[in-house]
Amino acid sequence: MSAISVSGLTKNYDGVLANDDVHFEVATGEIFGYLGPNGAGKTTTIRTLMGFQSPTSGTATLLDADVHDEAAMVAAKERVGYLPSTPGFDETATGNEVLDLHASLKGDARRAELLEMFDVPIERAIRGYSTGQKQKLGLVQAFMHDPDVVVMDEPTAGLDPLVQQRFNEFVRGEKRSGTTIFLSSHVLSEVRRVCDRIGIIRDGRMVTVENVEDLLHRSGKFVRVRVAADIGPEAVGLDGVHDLSVRNVDESYTESAIAAGTGTTVDTVTELTFTYTGDFDSLIDFVDEYRVLELDVEEAPLEQVFMQFYGGESEATAADEGDA
């Protein structure tokens, strides 16, 4: 059963296709990540899905309510939580007053629980809030009526790492309780921690919808290694190396590395960066041939996933201002 269904969704802004024939479904009880670079069309999809604007063509349903049916959408949204990318709270109101307003519209059975979890200064006026505090208030209002579906646009923007971790744990708990969660992001590493599946949108069109693990396996890792040697690209004979960059590091780095106690003086330091989809035993064997000064292995940035698998750099869609 689908909590969200999008079929042929198209939104045309004066000749610019912010969404172009978008298709995907989100199963009940699933955490679905909607990814793409800034301006890719994520927020346009969310605005249409929430009934804030009409599609140019195609349709979408939210808890079986068609976005073209205003009365059905009003009824459905009583069971939906929503967090926009930039919560637009009244700056003169206190956090308590904001939550009171939302409670009068949809209830607040979980208000105390969520306030304890996210530690929002509800007695203060919103104008004194930091970006992270506004975001935490937005999370409380999105979940406090215990919705069946929650739609969030960049939910961790402005949150410090500890609160992000708390949010991730909370979202996983909500999934276990049967809540359907749809969240947009432009950071692959962020959604991998919580999502079951990922849909990637680029220049308004869906690129792929697949399981998180499948995508991560194909996207590989970003590797940066600095070695005490003068080597060129031809020395990197590893299978699975993409977008290789080789450069000599200047003398100031060499001196600082020696001062830090990395060993004896070296004449040349070479930095290699690349995306790696190969076998990690082979990578270890390769770097073991050199004196390694630094080695970092991270998730491949989303932009590199696009470049590697989907044919080059993405162009931002100008019509999607504020899309993140």
Side-chain angles (χ1 to χ4, degrees):
M1 183 181 297
S2 297
I4 296 172
S5 179
V6 175
S7 179
L9 194 67
T10 299
K11 184 64 177 179
N12 190 324
Y13 292 104
D14 297 324
V16 177
L17 288 175
N19 281 172
D20 184 5
D21 194 31
V22 172
H23 294 261
F24 64 85
E25 294 196 357
V26 180
T28 299
E30 177 180 29
I31 304 180
F32 187 90
Y34 196 41
L35 276 76
N38 292 337
K42 302 186 301 297
T43 296
T44 291
T45 305
I46 289 174
R47 288 173 182 158
T48 306
L49 185 62
M50 291 298 299
F52 300 147
Q53 61 186 17
S54 298
T56 304
S57 61
T59 193
T61 60
L62 178 63
L63 291 173
D64 294 325
D66 192 296
V67 295
H68 296 281
D69 186 337
E70 184 176 351
M73 286 293 293
V74 169
K77 283 194 285 187
E78 293 179 1
R79 301 157 53 201
V80 176
Y82 172 60
L83 177 66
S85 58
T86 307
F89 300 127
D90 180 355
E91 293 284 314
T92 65
T94 66
N96 251 336
E97 290 170 338
V98 167
L99 295 181
D100 286 344
L101 174 61
H102 283 273
S104 69
L105 299 172
K106 58 189 182 183
D108 64 348
R110 302 183 64 186
R111 178 172 175 169
E113 168 200 350
L114 291 161
L115 284 173
E116 182 177 357
M117 179 180 300
F118 291 112
D119 189 27
V120 184
I122 54 175
E123 302 301 331
R124 288 166 44 193
I126 304 298
R127 62 172 169 262
Y129 278 29
S130 67
T131 300
Q133 289 168 338
K134 290 178 183 178
Q135 198 73 2
K136 290 191 291 184
L137 182 65
L139 288 170
V140 172
Q141 68 80 25
F143 283 93
M144 71 180 187
H145 60 300
D146 201 19
D148 296 326
V149 174
V150 181
V151 177
M152 296 181 283
D153 198 353
E154 300 285 349
T156 62
L159 300 182
D160 67 50
L162 289 178
V163 178
Q164 287 185 31
Q165 182 178 358
R166 194 178 312 151
F167 168 78
N168 291 340
E169 293 170 355
F170 170 70
V171 166
R172 286 190 289 264
E174 292 301 291
K175 169 188 162 60
R176 290 191 292 271
S177 300
T179 306
T180 304
I181 295 175
F182 177 96
L183 61 92
S184 79
S185 179
H186 63 278
V187 183
L188 180 61
S189 59
E190 177 179 272
V191 300
R192 69 158 297 193
R193 297 184 178 93
V194 296
C195 293
D196 303 304
R197 289 189 305 140
I198 291 175
I200 294 181
I201 185 170
R202 172 186 164 189
D203 298 336
R205 296 187 64 87
M206 292 300 292
V207 173
T208 186
V209 176
E210 55 189 293
N211 292 331
V212 172
E213 291 306 318
D214 292 341
L215 181 64
L216 291 176
H217 177 73
R218 295 200 298 127
S219 61
K221 302 287 186 179
F222 179 73
V223 177
R224 184 180 69 87
V225 58
R226 286 181 170 180
V227 298
D230 185 6
I231 62 176
E234 68 283 351
V236 187
L238 285 168
D239 291 333
V241 171
H242 309 272
D243 305 317
L244 174 65
S245 173
V246 178
R247 71 182 184 95
N248 291 125
V249 180
D250 62 27
E251 189 67 22
S252 62
Y253 171 81
T254 304
E255 291 171 356
S256 63
I258 295 165
T262 55
T264 58
T265 303
V266 294
D267 295 325
T268 305
V269 173
T270 303
E271 179 181 84
L272 310 170
T273 59
F274 51 89
T275 303
Y276 187 62
T277 58
D279 179 72
F280 273 85
D281 286 338
S282 299
L283 177 62
I284 292 170
D285 289 341
F286 168 73
V287 298
D288 192 46
E289 297 177 11
Y290 302 95
R291 180 168 158 229
V292 177
L293 301 176
E294 291 185 42
L295 175 62
D296 295 314
V297 180
E298 304 172 347
E299 296 291 350
L302 184 60
E303 291 77 8
Q304 290 197 15
V305 175
F306 285 141
M307 292 174 66
Q308 183 178 336
F309 294 106
Y310 309 120
E313 212 169 333
S314 175
E315 296 177 5
T317 303
D320 238 12
E321 293 181 5
D323 188 4

